[in-house]
Amino acid sequence: MRALRRRAAACLAALTLLAGVLPAYAGEDAAVFAHPLDAAGLAALLGPAQRLAAASGLRGRFEQRKYLQELPQPLLSSGEFLFARGLGIWWHTRVPFDSVFVLTRSGIRNTDEGGARMELRSDDQPAVAGVARIFFALFALDFRTLSSEFDLYGMPAADAGPGAWMVGLRPRSSALAGVFGQALIAGAARATRVELSDAQGDRTVVAIPEASAIEGPLTPQDRQRFAD
Amino acid sequence: MTRLRLQTCFWPWAAAMLALVAAFAAMLPALRVETSIFALLPRGERDAGLEQAVDAYTEQLSRDSVYLVGAGDFAVARDAAAAFAGALRSSGAFAEVFLEVGAARAQAARFYLPWRGGLLAERHRRWLASGQAQKLRDEALRALYTPAGFMRPFGAGEDPLGLLSAFVAGQRPPTGRATLRQGVLTVAAAGRDYVLVAAHTAASPFALAAERSAGAALAEARAAAQAAGAQEVVGSGVIQHAAAAAARGRAEMSLFGGISAAGSVVLLWLAFASTRPLLLTALSMALGGAAGLLACRLAFGGVHLVTLIFGSSLIGTSVDYSIYFFADRFRDPRHWRPLDAPRWTAAGIGLGYMTTALSYLALLAAPFPGLRQIALFSAAGLGVACGCVLILFPRLARPWPIAERAAALRLGAALERMRLPPRRGLRLALALAAGAFVAGGLMRLHFADDVRALQASPPELLRGEARVRELLGQSGDRRFVLVRGDSAEQVLQREEALRQRLAPLREDGRLGTVLALSNAVPSLRQQAADRQLLAAQVYAANGLLPGFQRGLGYRQDAIDRQLAAAAGARALQLDDFLASPAALPYRSLWLGRIAGGYASAVSLFDVRDPAALQQAADGLPGVQLVDKVAEISQVLHRYRQIAMALIAAVYLVIGALLSLRYGLAGAAATLLPAVGGGLLALAVLAWAGVGINLFHVLALLLVLGMGSDYTIFLRESRSAPAPALLAVALATLTATLSFGLLAFSATPFIHAIGATQALGIGFTVVLALGLRPPAARHAVA
């Protein structure tokens, strides 16, 4: 009980710190939505980052912060991921608990450390395949596909360093707006941060401190990660 | 005596005919033409309430249709689908057309928010009831820390534990594999993207007017989709089949009716070479047709398309009486007076009508709506035509000059000379051969009572239907479950009991999706139990929710707000649900008040084990598995047997009737050609490998009625056979013409009737001529 209270106090302190930082941060990001760009313009803006994303896959580490309404401090999680073009996304959360999330065209599979499995087949849920398609396009920075569902925005982010850029996405259909309020992707030589906001005001910020392109075919071990 | 009585009837009959014409003219504009095959078929043997509910549901279902618009590229497919939907909308034939369903689905999910404190998914209910609340907590954590949360329709603020998200996800829309993309439902297959358009017709698809407008709208919509780049448009739904059948029916009706009428005119002209007989015949046919329609309108409130098609062949029958009457002209080329004609023809026409009417009236006894219509139409129509011939013709007809060597006279004389076959030994051999042929045929006889064999749609529509099933990866089953109760609440409770029984079948794949109203709006009893479970385990002060949120770091006031929102949850009422956008996929399932109670339908997909399904539905009060196809096939089977017995009975009655006039042996001789003709027709069908169904048997009944006309005509005019022979020859030609035409119908049961009847009448006439009583020759002197 006491431990909890102490943690709450720490959180409160963190919150006051964040409170000073967040608004400016958000405001700076919002500026991108004043700069609409088409898919070709975005490709030119991103340059090498998009060529990287066009590789047969991408692997790396992630650090996720989830900001929820009424929750003073963000929920932190981290782990590793693998994006394999044509196969799907393998998202391995290690902290705060071990959980593997696999998204493929045929559905979603969740496996916890305790072995608990949860499956959602896209044959049963019309929304799953749609969400999968958007996530795949986000990872591949496939703006042609994204442009059919989102209005696209983009601008150079000079203050973040040379070659830095920021891309914004806003859904066109109200159906999608229920899931994604808006999305931001920032990076330079590659994407380093993705931020998704939903209609209720919750935000998920995913930082990608490390990532590398996969050249050539996937190893059998990696392939196995997407098998049923 | 007869003549005198008929004479006095002239003015009353003429007045009656004028009244008939007036009534017909008044009724015609509002005449309802029905086209559903089911309207023709007998009702299942069930209680009226169930029957009413089944009808209400099938009617609802028949209004729905689904189309997939395909193109090589999604954007093109989407534009083409928009063009398709636009054309359907602007046609006015469809009450609702759905393309952009994404927003509606999101809205439908949000409808549940106010009731979130009391709705549970099956899985969560099981966990909470069995003390596995831990699983629920793990699932909620996973949604917060991993991408799993993105798949939920509600965020952590609205639905912290994902209870409502799971409840909503448990409702699977009946669109199979289709996925949401840019707000529309789509499937991809073989390099093409298909966009789904659903539509609901304004009126029952079986009203002829609706079919016509929907058929035109669909053709226009297909053209619009193709113009917008669609490579493929396939559809599924009753309306297309109904529209196709109606269009075909109309075309057949005008084609067959036209050919039949034209053929009759040509034959009459060849035979009589005078306009007056032609006009009078046309008059009697028209009045007969009007009487038939009027009788159907009065007795049934409308008329079925099939009756009209069948009625167009009535021409072939009613013209027989005129022919027989005018053929009398040749009896005495010099001194014939129309007023004398009834003396020679009245008995033949009267008896002929009586036997025909008797066989039609036998149809009237069968509880077959379609057959009763045909029977009434024919009996009334022929009755009026017969009356016109006997009462109007003697006064309105005039003798017309006939050439010494008139074609008709020569034909009559030639027929009189002909006796087939001339030699006794040959006759015996022919009789034996015919007997062997019939016996062999009867041994190969097999019956086919499946109603599906009676529904024939154009192959491209059937292919489209199969393609839709394949693309959506599921197929709605023809079977459904009907649930009834004293109150709406009881119906929902009974549905829940049924779903519980079906759960094991769904788990091991013996059954696909089950679409039930109670899945979207649980019974009040279920909701109360769920609220209790939630209050005890989740929303209590030491329950799952406060513990979970405290662990995450929520402040107590935020937690209190969540608890307060949950505690205030009311029960979701059925009426509120039905009025909401969330009810859209379920609307046709709720049948509401029916026969003193309430009813709903549960629709089933991918039934792979019908026996297990039946077993699951058995023994539940108010729950009934309905399989219309099987039921109707059974009914067809039973009535085929009854109709076969009926034929025997009608033969006996007609035989008894005829024996009063001709004596026992005479009656047998008169019936022999019709019996033989029927048996030979049946044998031909059997040798051809045709499965005999009810409609073949009914056609045999009609063969009996018409065939015995001919033998009676021949027998009644033994003293002057040339005119009778001529009449029979002409009548056969017109009858074979009209029924032979029906054999070319693409509607299976009209085809069955037409083929059987053309064969039967053909054989009957050959027999009647061949077995003509030899006494005729002596009687002339």
Side-chain angles (χ1 to χ4, degrees):
Chain A
M1 231 13 217
R2 187 177 300 162
L4 201 73
R5 218 171 289 145
R6 205 176 314 134
R7 220 164 75 193
C11 283
L12 216 66
L15 184 79
T16 35
L17 262 174
L18 268 171
V21 180
L22 266 177
Y25 189 63
E28 185 194 314
D29 285 352
V32 74
F33 290 108
H35 298 85
L37 255 184
D38 62 6
L42 283 173
L45 174 68
L46 266 61
Q50 197 170 34
R51 282 196 293 281
L52 185 72
S56 68
L58 196 70
R59 75 165 81 243
R61 285 196 308 110
F62 70 84
E63 286 163 7
Q64 176 184 300
R65 287 159 184 268
K66 200 167 199 111
Y67 299 89
L68 299 178
Q69 294 287 305
E70 300 198 307
L71 187 63
Q73 82 292 1
L75 300 173
L76 307 181
S77 59
S78 59
E80 56 189 330
F81 71 89
L82 169 65
F83 165 65
R85 190 179 292 277
L87 280 177
I89 298 166
W90 176 80
W91 194 266
H92 182 190
T93 306
R94 288 183 181 279
V95 177
F97 50 83
D98 201 285
S99 176
V100 175
F101 171 92
V102 179
L103 176 65
T104 64
R105 262 179 231 295
S106 62
I108 292 167
R109 198 175 67 236
N110 238 154
T111 318
D112 285 359
E113 53 198 329
R117 260 170 83 103
M118 221 257 307
E119 274 184 80
L120 259 186
R121 289 175 351 106
S122 46
D123 278 5
D124 295 335
Q125 289 295 332
V128 169
V131 173
R133 194 172 37 242
I134 290 168
F135 272 110
F136 295 163
L138 275 176
F139 269 86
L141 296 180
D142 173 2
F143 293 115
R144 245 178 57 77
T145 298
L146 290 171
S147 69
S148 65
E149 313 254 5
F150 297 92
D151 289 325
L152 304 178
Y153 305 84
M155 63 173 200
D159 29 335
W165 44 261
M166 176 158 291
V167 170
L169 301 131
R170 272 188 181 151
R172 291 228 183 101
S173 71
S174 56
L176 201 56
V179 187
F180 300 92
Q182 64 177 43
L184 284 167
I185 311 170
R190 59 176 181 82
T192 53
R193 186 169 60 89
V194 179
E195 185 180 326
L196 304 169
S197 318
D198 72 13
Q200 276 75 49
D202 294 342
R203 281 191 310 133
T204 305
V205 180
V206 180
I208 305 170
E210 263 172 46
S212 56
I214 300 171
E215 305 294 348
L218 245 55
T219 63
Q221 195 192 356
D222 281 342
R223 223 159 235 296
Q224 191 55 38
R225 302 192 199 282
F226 297 98
D228 286 327
Chain B
M1 186 61 191
T2 311
R3 193 175 127 205
L4 202 67
R5 219 174 39 231
L6 288 173
Q7 287 305 304
T8 54
C9 288
F10 182 81
W11 288 113
W13 183 267
M17 289 303 103
L18 283 178
L20 169 68
V21 169
F24 179 72
M27 171 275 294
L28 194 61
L31 187 67
R32 190 167 54 81
V33 179
E34 173 79 19
T35 63
S36 165
I37 177 109
F38 286 110
L40 284 175
L41 298 173
R43 333 279 306 132
E45 269 93 47
R46 293 183 292 238
D47 65 284
L50 187 61
E51 200 59 56
Q52 217 177 324
V54 167
D55 283 355
Y57 179 56
T58 42
E59 146 91 25
Q60 275 298 321
L61 212 58
S62 67
R63 293 183 181 215
D64 289 330
S65 53
V66 164
Y67 306 90
L68 289 169
V69 180
D73 178 64
F74 173 74
V76 176
R78 193 188 141 89
D79 289 346
F84 185 85
L88 288 189
R89 279 195 194 107
S90 58
S91 74
F94 292 86
E96 285 162 308
V97 179
F98 303 102
L99 172 65
E100 300 264 358
V101 295
R105 289 217 173 156
Q107 221 187 332
R110 300 205 66 78
F111 159 78
Y112 284 108
L113 263 179
W115 290 279
R116 65 186 142 157
L119 297 171
L120 271 181
E122 191 62 49
R123 171 177 85 238
H124 290 163
R125 182 181 301 134
R126 206 168 51 231
W127 288 347
L128 290 178
S130 61
Q132 302 181 78
Q134 176 69 22
K135 283 191 173 169
L136 179 55
R137 204 192 69 107
D138 289 350
E139 200 183 271
L141 275 176
R142 202 185 300 127
L144 288 177
Y145 285 102
T146 79
F150 285 112
M151 308 301 150
R152 296 188 158 182
F154 301 101
E158 289 171 327
D159 186 24
L161 291 171
L163 294 172
L164 190 57
S165 290
F167 175 80
V168 170
Q171 298 180 35
R172 289 168 190 176
T175 43
R177 204 182 276 150
T179 63
L180 270 173
R181 182 170 177 185
Q182 290 179 46
V184 301
L185 284 166
T186 172
V187 277
R192 275 188 191 168
D193 282 308
Y194 294 82
V195 171
L196 189 145
V197 177
H200 193 75
T201 48
S204 158
F206 295 118
L208 199 55
E211 270 155 11
R212 211 171 291 178
S213 58
L218 277 174
E220 213 168 285
R222 277 174 192 270
Q226 255 137 28
Q231 289 162 332
E232 192 183 343
V233 179
V234 288
S236 165
V238 171
I239 182 72
Q240 311 184 83
H241 300 276
R248 199 174 56 197
R250 274 198 309 280
E252 284 183 357
M253 190 173 61
S254 43
L255 182 69
F256 296 170
I259 294 180
S260 184
S264 304
V265 165
V266 168
L267 280 171
L268 284 167
W269 182 260
L270 281 178
F272 304 128
S274 171
T275 34
R276 197 172 278 252
L278 211 60
L279 290 178
L280 285 175
T281 304
L283 176 76
S284 77
M285 282 178 351
L287 287 172
L293 273 178
L294 194 63
C296 284
R297 168 71 180 78
L298 292 178
F300 303 107
V303 64
H304 199 282
L305 184 66
V306 163
T307 311
L308 289 181
I309 298 176
F310 205 87
S312 68
S313 70
L314 185 75
I315 291 167
T317 316
S318 76
V319 81
D320 290 359
Y321 304 135
S322 305
I323 293 173
Y324 189 60
F325 181 90
F326 287 115
D328 189 57
R329 170 78 187 86
F330 298 100
R331 182 176 43 82
D332 185 353
R334 280 164 207 274
H335 306 108
W336 185 72
R337 286 194 325 144
L339 282 173
D340 293 337
R343 202 170 73 214
W344 303 91
T345 58
I349 290 176
L351 261 180
Y353 173 66
M354 231 143 67
T355 52
T356 308
L358 211 64
S359 49
Y360 278 119
L361 287 175
L363 289 189
L364 207 55
F368 251 80
L371 293 175
R372 289 169 105 159
Q373 266 198 26
I374 290 175
L376 183 67
F377 186 95
S378 305
L382 289 178
V384 165
C386 173
C388 287
V389 169
L390 290 179
I391 298 167
L392 299 184
F393 283 20
R395 284 237 189 149
L396 296 180
R398 296 282 175 274
W400 66 95
I402 45 172
E404 199 68 25
R405 303 286 299 160
L409 272 179
R410 275 181 311 182
L411 182 63
L415 282 170
E416 199 183 353
R417 277 195 303 277
M418 199 166 63
R419 187 169 290 276
L420 295 170
R423 290 220 321 268
R424 200 189 163 89
L426 195 59
R427 260 157 93 171
L428 194 69
L430 268 177
L432 280 175
F437 182 75
V438 167
L442 291 184
M443 269 169 13
R444 319 180 111 239
L445 202 62
H446 74 277
F447 298 101
D449 296 316
D450 194 322
V451 68
R452 277 170 293 185
L454 296 177
Q455 288 171 302
S457 270
E460 71 267 18
L461 282 188
L462 295 177
R463 270 200 301 277
E465 199 86 40
R467 183 92 178 110
V468 170
R469 273 201 300 276
E470 180 194 321
L471 286 171
L472 292 181
Q474 72 174 9
S475 55
D477 201 84
R478 59 164 201 269
R479 284 163 282 242
F480 59 92
V481 181
L482 206 70
V483 180
R484 286 187 296 162
D486 297 330
S487 62
E489 168 67 13
Q490 193 179 38
V491 169
L492 291 177
Q493 288 180 15
R494 287 177 168 175
E495 267 194 17
E496 279 158 357
L498 169 72
R499 278 170 47 223
Q500 224 154 36
R501 287 250 195 120
L502 294 179
L505 272 71
R506 297 196 47 209
E507 264 156 37
D508 57 23
R510 281 178 288 172
L511 179 61
T513 301
V514 173
L515 202 61
L517 190 62
S518 59
N519 203 27
V521 45
S523 70
L524 295 176
R525 185 177 69 180
Q526 182 69 66
Q527 289 188 54
D530 288 348
R531 267 202 311 280
Q532 214 174 350
L533 199 59
L534 285 165
Q537 305 218 15
V538 176
Y539 300 125
N542 59 349
L544 187 59
L545 182 76
F548 176 74
Q549 291 208 316
R550 231 171 271 138
L552 292 173
Y554 278 94
R555 280 197 304 256
Q556 191 57 45
D557 55 338
I559 297 172
D560 287 343
R561 272 196 297 280
Q562 286 285 348
L563 292 180
R570 290 173 299 117
L572 170 58
Q573 302 289 332
L574 178 63
D575 289 341
D576 292 337
F577 172 78
L578 288 174
S580 80
L584 203 59
Y586 299 92
R587 230 172 22 186
S588 57
L589 294 176
W590 178 244
L591 306 174
R593 265 203 94 88
I594 271 180
Y598 290 82
S600 75
V602 173
S603 100
L604 307 168
F605 291 84
D606 303 311
V607 175
R608 295 184 194 92
D609 188 347
L613 178 66
Q614 181 67 61
Q615 213 178 352
D618 276 347
L620 287 172
V623 169
Q624 187 135 13
L625 182 67
V626 178
D627 181 351
K628 268 193 109 162
V629 168
E631 278 170 27
I632 290 174
S633 299
Q634 250 166 28
V635 171
L636 284 177
H637 169 81
R638 253 214 5 247
Y639 282 104
R640 176 178 52 72
Q641 292 177 320
I642 292 177
M644 287 163 74
L646 207 62
I647 288 190
V650 171
Y651 268 108
L652 284 178
V653 173
I654 294 182
L657 207 73
L658 291 177
S659 68
L660 290 180
R661 191 171 169 91
Y662 304 138
L664 222 51
T670 311
L671 280 180
L672 183 63
V675 176
L679 284 175
L680 280 166
L682 199 61
V684 169
L685 292 173
W687 280 105
V690 176
I692 302 301
N693 62 38
L694 175 69
F695 297 97
H696 293 107
V697 176
L698 292 170
L700 289 177
L701 193 63
L702 303 183
V703 166
L704 161 63
M706 288 177 63
S708 52
D709 278 6
Y710 303 142
T711 20
I712 290 169
F713 287 175
L714 286 176
R715 202 177 173 96
E716 282 298 319
S717 38
R718 274 197 290 186
S719 48
L725 281 174
L726 178 66
V728 168
L730 285 177
T732 321
L733 278 172
T734 52
T736 338
L737 183 69
S738 19
F739 287 108
L741 282 172
L742 290 189
F744 291 100
S745 171
T747 309
F749 73 98
I750 295 181
H751 163 81
I753 290 180
T756 313
Q757 214 160 354
L759 282 171
I761 290 173
F763 283 125
T764 303
V765 165
V766 169
L767 288 174
L769 289 173
L771 301 173
R772 178 153 47 101
R777 295 232 155 168
H778 309 292
V780 181

